[in-house]
Amino acid sequence: MGPLDSYLPYLLNRAGARIATAFNDEVRPLGATLQIWRVLAALREQDGRRMGDLSNTTSIEVSTLTRLVDSMEQKGLVARRRDANDARAILLHVAPAGRRLTQRILPIAERYEEVALAGFTAGEAEVLKAALRRLYANMDGLES
């Protein structure tokens, strides 16, 4: 292995950690965290998700997600409801306070993407995003 700054997992972690730490610091005064934002963003994309689906979408372990959703429910950000089509399934819905918080965080999240992609053409940004999705999917290879 060559120098650390040419090792892909190091580079990915370093970039991700820098963005996550700064983002967390910025949304904390609003009563949010990066994980809360991930849940709200996923529900903004599609409201009424099952916990398993939400776990996959947000990359938050189900046990961690359950505790997170409990605290979000206590804050009035989300509500659990039974699925009308499957009484055993619980769906998570965004509550009005969650919608308001989403509207406050959205411009911050958009600015982070803008800053992170400064100097990238639209095409380069799309290539980077596609490469990162592919890289994530490739990691399934570790499980076989």
Side-chain angles (χ1 to χ4, degrees):
M1 192 175 85
L4 202 52
D5 78 345
S6 67
Y7 182 57
L8 180 70
Y10 167 76
L11 292 171
L12 280 171
N13 187 27
R14 187 174 77 151
R18 185 162 191 194
I19 293 168
T21 301
F23 186 83
N24 254 326
D25 290 347
E26 196 159 342
V27 298
R28 190 173 296 116
L30 303 178
T33 62
L34 178 57
Q35 287 192 327
I36 286 173
W37 169 242
R38 280 189 189 155
V39 171
L40 291 174
L43 293 176
R44 179 176 181 270
E45 211 171 88
Q46 184 198 322
D47 198 26
R49 287 178 181 250
R50 291 180 181 216
M51 292 295 276
D53 171 42
L54 205 52
S55 173
N56 291 336
T57 303
T58 60
S59 297
I60 302 171
E61 289 269 332
V62 174
S63 59
T64 304
L65 184 62
T66 301
R67 287 191 302 276
L68 178 65
V69 166
D70 286 345
S71 88
M72 289 178 73
E73 202 169 21
Q74 284 165 358
K75 292 177 181 176
L77 299 174
V78 294
R80 287 180 172 101
R81 295 198 202 111
R82 292 231 171 261
D83 185 345
N85 303 319
D86 177 0
R88 294 164 306 172
I90 303 290
L91 301 179
L92 195 66
H93 293 270
V94 69
R99 249 188 294 283
R100 288 192 298 274
L101 184 57
T102 299
Q103 289 313 115
R104 291 183 72 189
I105 297 176
L106 202 53
I108 298 169
E110 287 169 346
R111 186 167 51 84
Y112 270 73
E113 173 151 333
E114 205 177 291
V115 168
L117 291 173
F120 286 78
T121 65
E124 286 172 331
E126 282 314 306
V127 167
L128 176 61
K129 290 175 185 182
L132 289 170
R133 285 190 285 269
R134 216 163 102 204
L135 199 142
Y136 184 85
N138 283 349
M139 294 309 294
D140 291 345
L142 280 182
E143 291 156 24
S144 51

